[in-house]
C-alpha cells in the first residue's frame, strides 16, 4: 500500500514553458526529499517526457508531484493526467521507437525505465493517467 | 525562459554554450540558427557545450542529433561536450541512441577532436 502525503504540488501543463516548469518542480521536490543528483535527473527527465506527451498528444493536462511512503520507503510520485484521446494500443505505445509525434518515441517507455513503478490507466470518458514512482536510495 | 542562444564564431568553429532551460521551441530555433550561420560563414566545426544542462530528454537529444546531422550536410563536424555524468546515465537508461554523434569530455578536448579531424573524411559508425 502506497500512502501519499497530503502535501502535494499541482501544475497545469498547457505550454512548452509549463513542461519546463513541471520538470523544475519535480527536481526541487526530489532534492527536498533527499534524492541523489542522479535520481533527481532521472525523475525530472521522466517528468519532461510525460508532460510533453500530455501536451503533444492530448493538448495539455495536469501534473501532480507528491511525497509517498510505503513502510519505511520514502519516494516521489508524479502523476500526469490528461483528457485527450487516450492510447488505443498501450503495448505498442510503450515500445521504443513508436511515436505518433515529433519525438524519438521514447516518451512512455523511457519514463517507465527511469522509474521504479509505472502505471497507466485510461480515464472515463476520455483521457489518460500516468503515474511514476521512484523510491529513495534504491538502485 | 525565452530568448536566443548565442552562436560564437571562433575562426573556423562555431561555439554554442547552452545555459538556459531548453524548451522545445528554443531547441528547434537553435537548430535553424545554426544552419543559417553555417550557410553564411562556412565554418567547418561546431562545438556544443552542454555542461550547464542538468537535463537532456529525448526531444533535446533528438534536436542535438538533428543539428549535428544538418551541420554535417553543410560540411561541418559537430562535437557535443561537457555532458554531466547524471545526464549521461539517464540518457542511456532512457534508451537514447546517438549513432555517429561525436562527444568529448570538455571544450578543450572537443576542440582538439575537431582539429584532429580537420579535412579528414572518416567513416562513421
Amino acid at each position: 500500500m502506497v500512502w501519499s502525503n497530503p502535501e502535494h504540488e499541482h501544475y497545469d501543463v498547457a505550454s512548452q514553458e509549463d513542461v519546463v516548469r513541471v520538470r523544475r518542480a519535480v527536481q526541487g521536490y526530489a532534492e527536498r526529499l533527499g534524492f541523489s543528483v542522479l535520481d533527481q535527473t532521472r525523475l525530472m527527465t521522466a517528468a519532461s517526457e510525460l508532460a510533453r506527451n500530455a501536451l503533444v498528444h492530448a493538448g495539455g493536462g495536469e501534473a501532480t508531484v507528491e511525497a509517498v511512503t510505503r513502510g519505511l520507503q520514502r519516494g516521489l510520485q508524479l502523476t500526469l493526467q490528461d483528457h485527450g484521446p487516450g492510447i488505443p494500443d498501450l503495448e505498442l505505445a510503450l515500445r521504443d521507437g513508436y511515436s505518433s509525434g515529433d519525438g524519438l518515441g521514447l516518451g512512455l517507455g523511457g519514463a517507465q525505465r527511469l522509474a521504479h513503478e509505472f502505471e497507466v490507466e485510461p480515464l472515463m470518458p476520455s483521457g489518460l493517467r500516468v503515474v511514476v514512482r521512484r523510491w529513495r536510495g534504491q538502485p | 525562459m525565452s530568448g536566443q542562444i548565442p552562436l560564437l564564431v571562433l575562426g573556423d568553429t562555431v561555439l554554442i554554450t547552452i545555459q538556459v532551460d531548453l524548451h522545445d521551441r528554443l531547441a528547434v530555433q537553435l537548430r535553424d540558427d545554426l544552419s543559417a550561420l553555417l550557410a553564411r560563414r562556412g565554418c567547418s566545426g561546431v562545438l556544443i557545450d552542454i555542461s550547464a544542462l542538468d537535463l537532456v530528454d529525448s526531444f533535446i537529444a533528438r534536436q542535438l542529433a538533428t543539428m549535428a546531422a544538418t551541420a554535417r550536410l553543410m560540411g561541418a563536424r559537430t562535437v557535443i561536450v561537457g555532458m554531466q555524468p547524471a545526464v549521461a546515465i539517464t540518457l542511456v537508461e532512457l534508451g537514447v541512441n546517438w549513432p555517429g554523434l561525436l562527444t568529448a569530455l570538455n571544450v578543450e578536448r572537443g576542440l582538439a577532436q575537431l582539429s584532429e579531424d580537420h579535412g579528414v573524411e572518416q567513416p562513421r559508425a
Side-chain angles (χ1 to χ4, degrees):
Chain A
M1 178 97 186
V2 176
W3 296 95
S4 95
N5 191 318
E7 191 186 316
H8 60 268
E9 290 177 7
H10 193 77
Y11 297 87
D12 279 338
V13 181
S15 69
Q16 292 181 3
E17 285 79 4
D18 288 342
V19 174
V20 173
R21 211 164 286 136
V22 167
R23 64 198 194 202
R24 283 288 154 225
V26 166
Q27 185 191 31
Y29 216 105
E31 192 181 1
R32 286 201 298 284
L33 290 176
F35 278 94
S36 68
V37 170
L38 175 54
D39 276 346
Q40 289 173 34
T41 307
R42 285 172 170 141
L43 281 163
M44 73 190 291
T45 306
S48 190
E49 300 292 343
L50 295 178
R52 178 182 300 104
N53 265 1
L55 185 64
V56 171
H57 299 295
E62 303 99 51
T64 307
V65 192
E66 57 203 305
V68 288
T69 56
R70 183 167 54 197
L72 293 173
Q73 292 179 307
R74 297 278 179 278
L76 185 148
Q77 174 173 300
L78 170 72
T79 306
L80 254 297
Q81 198 164 312
D82 69 59
H83 303 288
I87 297 178
D89 187 342
L90 186 61
E91 207 177 309
L92 182 66
L94 284 169
R95 204 178 300 160
D96 285 344
Y98 174 80
S99 173
S100 49
D102 184 27
L104 283 170
L106 294 170
L108 276 185
Q112 185 177 27
R113 275 191 297 277
L114 293 174
H116 287 128
E117 283 149 38
F118 180 86
E119 291 150 23
V120 184
E121 57 176 308
L123 296 176
M124 286 306 184
S126 80
L128 198 71
R129 180 188 292 132
V130 184
V131 182
V132 295
R133 236 171 266 127
R134 198 171 170 97
W135 301 102
R136 203 175 60 196
Q138 284 189 20
Chain B
M1 212 176 290
S2 60
Q4 231 172 335
I5 295 167
L7 309 177
L8 237 73
V9 180
L10 299 166
D12 226 15
T13 303
V14 185
L15 177 62
I16 302 169
T17 302
I18 303 175
Q19 285 179 320
V20 292
D21 267 335
L22 271 185
H23 59 66
D24 297 0
R25 208 168 43 245
L26 200 53
V28 171
Q29 191 194 332
L30 177 60
R31 180 199 65 194
D32 295 348
D33 289 351
L34 176 62
S35 52
L37 178 75
L38 288 175
R40 212 164 55 238
R41 302 286 292 266
C43 295
S44 65
V46 178
L47 209 67
I48 305 179
D49 178 15
I50 59 166
S51 57
L53 286 189
D54 54 9
L55 170 131
V56 175
D57 63 17
S58 64
F59 188 90
I60 296 173
R62 181 189 162 108
Q63 292 312 318
L64 289 172
T66 306
M67 267 189 270
T70 309
R72 186 73 194 139
L73 288 175
M74 304 183 76
R77 312 202 67 177
T78 301
V79 185
I80 310 276
V81 304
M83 187 184 295
Q84 292 181 16
V87 171
I89 293 169
T90 301
L91 269 181
V92 171
E93 290 178 354
L94 193 60
V96 167
N97 217 323
W98 266 350
L101 204 69
L102 300 173
T103 57
L105 201 57
N106 52 39
V107 172
E108 198 180 359
R109 291 195 187 183
L111 281 172
Q113 199 165 332
L114 281 176
S115 60
E116 273 168 30
D117 292 337
H118 185 69
V120 184
E121 278 296 320
Q122 304 224 340
R124 313 195 64 188

